[in-house]
Amino acid sequence: MEDEQEPPLQPRTQIQGRVLFLTICAAGIGGTFQFGYNLSIINAPTLYIQEFTNETWWARTGWPLPDHLVLLVWSLIVSLYPLGGFFGALLAGPLAIMLGRKTSLLVNNIFVVAAAILFGFSRRAGSFEMIMLGRLLVGISAGVSMNIQPMYLGESAPKELRGAVAMTSAIFTALGIVMGQVVGLRELLGGPQAWPLLLASCLVPGVLQLASLPLLPESPRYLLIDRGDTATCLAALQRLRGTTEVMGELAELEEERTACQGRRARRPWELFQDGALRRQVTSLVVLGSAMELCGNDSIYAYASFVFREAGVPQEKVQYAIVGTGCCELLTAFVSCVVIERVGRRVLLVGGYCLMTCWGSVFTVALCLQTSFPWMPYLAMSCIFAFILSFGIGPAGVTGILATELFDQTSRPAAYMVCGALMWTMLFLVGLGFPFLMEGLSHFLYVPFIGVCVCAAIYTAFFLPETKGKTFLEIAEELHRLNFPRQSQGPTWRGPEVIRSTEL
């Protein structure tokens, strides 16, 4: 009998894998891939855009723009990206509630199309302001997608694959960074004539998402809990799982809907006022801040200097930097494979401990680089090791927290808080890192090491493990942690069906 029953199970597994894979790819290519891609492509045309800014000003006024004002314009072009991301993060919550997860990702491509048009015609129009506006728009797009994509995938995946599926957001971020570094090479679109096409190439992943995502199902949790549409939810579950035998999972969703009865969507500030969310909000703020303040983004900025000090020729530095992006992509794949085996806490604690170790060695290597001829090579090795350690845990696991720690009524607001926090920290680190380099010199990584130590300690002692648990089981455990003196679990509200996250 076992031999007769085994063949029918194989197509179901294949169908489930195919639909999930297509959903992940369609959401990721226009989601976190865009974030990483637009984050990295701006580095290659730095000098060309500065020259274009000066030439444009000269053509308008007959006078060249002073160097400090050229740098000011360039700083605005760079910093408008995280500013747009901040606004996009605030926009993501209402969009996810009103339009749904999938439709929000599709509508989000309006910003990408508008930005690509501005980038593509900026040089012909002689307007560096079009570049600034375009960077603001792609920032808004990245802020929306960075919040909604993991929410969409986390709600669509079965509980035994939820962590791995949500981790794909980190994979697409790393893939976007690598692709941006590759496309930005001088041999491709990183030359003096092709930079408008380089900036406008963000249109390609947007078009791919617009062509593929409409063919795939909406989040089953959104369909049932938010819209109260049982029939469409059942159809979405059957497509995602590749089988009609989904009644057990549908029953779990019904229990979750009952738990959310009569509760409207929470506002971001309400998360900080509710004692039942104390542990969740603290974890989100502490670990979300740690991910941006751990020094990974800054080590990319410092990489070029270290590579030159290690003897890498100036014209070859760009290829070494591509290698750093490949390191993060590799570890994102590894984490995606092992997260459901080892759990979230192990990856986070291990990642931050390794980053503490390599950051310390990196500091020693910088201090002694003139004393020993091999120290610059040690510093270069530490850069790769630090990025590998970041990719093991913090890069992907942090993005799962808002999905797993918050229920359906609080999840959009949690992503708004997490996204706004992330983009604010990204802006502050970019603004303050040059002053850290100047003020602390070779000890500039000491503050980042302190952040890694604090993050590892908090994760080890205060973050609950969520591996293999349903959202209801996670909610019950968090209720016990928030109210340790109460023996009973959370009290779920009445049986009446109400659209729980209506604005």
XYZ file of all heavy atoms in Angstrom, residues 23 121 131 153 204 208 241 249 260 269 282 328 358 360 368 414 436 467 470-471 479:
183
model
N 5.948 32.469 -6.490
C 5.483 33.562 -5.635
C 6.655 34.301 -5.012
O 6.687 35.543 -4.970
C 4.565 33.007 -4.529
O 3.463 32.312 -5.129
C 4.032 34.125 -3.657
N 15.735 60.454 -18.816
C 15.717 61.702 -19.583
C 16.398 62.859 -18.855
O 16.335 64.002 -19.328
C 14.266 62.087 -19.906
C 13.604 61.170 -20.891
C 12.793 60.125 -20.450
C 13.801 61.327 -22.252
C 12.190 59.267 -21.349
C 13.193 60.480 -23.169
C 12.388 59.442 -22.721
N 17.145 63.733 -11.245
C 17.821 62.629 -10.566
C 17.432 62.618 -9.090
O 17.165 61.552 -8.507
C 19.348 62.747 -10.725
C 19.737 62.748 -12.198
C 20.057 61.611 -9.986
C 21.210 62.965 -12.447
N 4.979 37.099 2.019
C 5.542 35.750 1.954
C 5.360 34.999 3.273
O 5.067 33.803 3.279
C 7.026 35.823 1.586
C 7.345 36.386 0.197
C 8.847 36.419 -0.028
C 6.652 35.577 -0.890
N 13.525 47.391 -15.228
C 13.470 45.990 -15.671
C 12.861 45.077 -14.601
O 11.904 44.343 -14.889
C 14.871 45.511 -16.094
C 14.840 44.026 -16.458
C 15.379 46.332 -17.268
N 9.175 42.984 -14.742
C 9.091 41.544 -14.498
C 8.054 41.225 -13.415
O 7.292 40.249 -13.532
C 10.460 41.001 -14.086
C 11.530 40.964 -15.183
C 12.865 40.521 -14.614
C 11.098 40.029 -16.314
N -0.411 25.246 -1.751
C 0.004 23.957 -1.193
C 0.001 22.841 -2.228
O 0.544 21.767 -1.993
C -0.905 23.565 -0.023
C -1.012 24.625 1.064
C 0.313 24.908 1.750
N 0.150 25.938 2.750
C 0.526 27.206 2.590
N 1.122 27.582 1.461
N 0.341 28.092 3.544
N -5.147 23.373 7.845
C -4.558 24.709 7.886
C -5.646 25.775 7.881
O -5.510 26.818 8.525
C -3.618 24.900 6.693
C -2.804 26.181 6.758
C -1.717 26.230 5.701
O -1.547 25.244 4.963
O -1.038 27.274 5.624
N -8.770 37.343 16.546
C -8.691 38.763 16.163
C -10.067 39.410 16.047
O -10.190 40.503 15.473
C -7.962 38.892 14.817
S -6.245 38.357 14.842
N 1.680 54.010 16.927
C 1.918 54.482 18.291
C 1.182 53.637 19.325
O 1.576 53.595 20.477
C 1.517 55.949 18.422
C 0.105 56.242 18.046
C -1.003 56.190 18.843
C -0.376 56.633 16.744
N -2.143 56.513 18.136
C -1.784 56.805 16.842
C 0.246 56.861 15.516
C -2.565 57.176 15.749
C -0.535 57.233 14.433
C -1.919 57.387 14.563
N 9.800 45.753 22.040
C 11.187 45.899 22.482
C 12.132 45.112 21.580
O 13.188 45.612 21.172
C 11.337 45.421 23.935
O 10.443 46.151 24.765
C 12.761 45.626 24.427
N 27.763 38.149 0.943
C 26.468 38.289 1.619
C 25.403 37.444 0.938
O 24.538 36.855 1.605
C 26.047 39.764 1.645
C 24.823 40.021 2.480
C 24.550 41.511 2.701
O 25.500 42.310 2.596
O 23.393 41.853 2.965
N 35.202 39.345 14.487
C 35.899 39.871 13.310
C 36.053 41.387 13.368
O 37.043 41.930 12.875
C 35.163 39.458 12.045
C 35.190 37.991 11.795
C 34.125 37.135 11.757
C 36.353 37.182 11.591
N 34.536 35.845 11.531
C 35.912 35.847 11.419
C 37.716 37.454 11.536
C 36.783 34.796 11.198
C 38.593 36.402 11.311
C 38.135 35.092 11.137
N 36.628 43.044 16.072
C 37.764 43.262 16.978
C 39.089 43.020 16.260
O 40.041 43.805 16.393
C 37.645 42.334 18.194
O 36.425 42.547 18.883
N 47.643 48.163 13.528
C 48.994 47.640 13.317
C 49.358 47.515 11.839
O 50.348 46.861 11.500
C 49.121 46.260 13.976
C 48.883 46.192 15.483
C 48.995 44.764 15.975
C 49.861 47.103 16.230
N 3.476 47.130 12.885
C 4.824 46.711 13.283
C 5.805 46.914 12.143
O 6.948 47.350 12.361
C 4.800 45.248 13.723
N 32.799 59.625 12.229
C 33.413 58.552 13.011
C 34.803 58.222 12.482
O 35.744 58.021 13.253
C 32.532 57.297 12.969
C 31.352 57.216 13.929
C 30.584 55.912 13.709
C 31.813 57.316 15.370
N 10.595 28.925 15.835
C 10.729 27.882 14.816
C 9.630 26.842 14.938
O 9.387 26.285 16.006
C 12.101 27.207 14.968
C 12.359 26.096 13.949
C 13.661 25.375 14.229
C 13.550 24.529 15.477
N 14.720 23.649 15.675
N 2.911 27.783 15.167
C 1.871 28.567 14.508
C 1.837 29.966 15.116
O 2.392 30.211 16.191
C 0.497 27.906 14.675
O 0.132 27.946 16.059
C 0.523 26.456 14.203
N 1.155 30.877 14.427
C 1.053 32.241 14.948
C 0.328 32.265 16.295
O 0.649 33.082 17.161
C 0.343 33.141 13.933
C 1.201 33.524 12.767
C 0.899 33.082 11.488
C 2.318 34.315 12.939
C 1.690 33.435 10.404
C 3.118 34.680 11.865
C 2.803 34.230 10.594
N 2.349 36.060 25.314
C 1.438 36.510 26.374
C 1.965 36.088 27.748
O 1.923 36.866 28.707
C 0.046 35.940 26.138
C -0.978 36.442 27.100
N -1.667 37.613 26.900
C -1.410 35.949 28.288
C -2.496 37.815 27.919
N -2.358 36.820 28.775
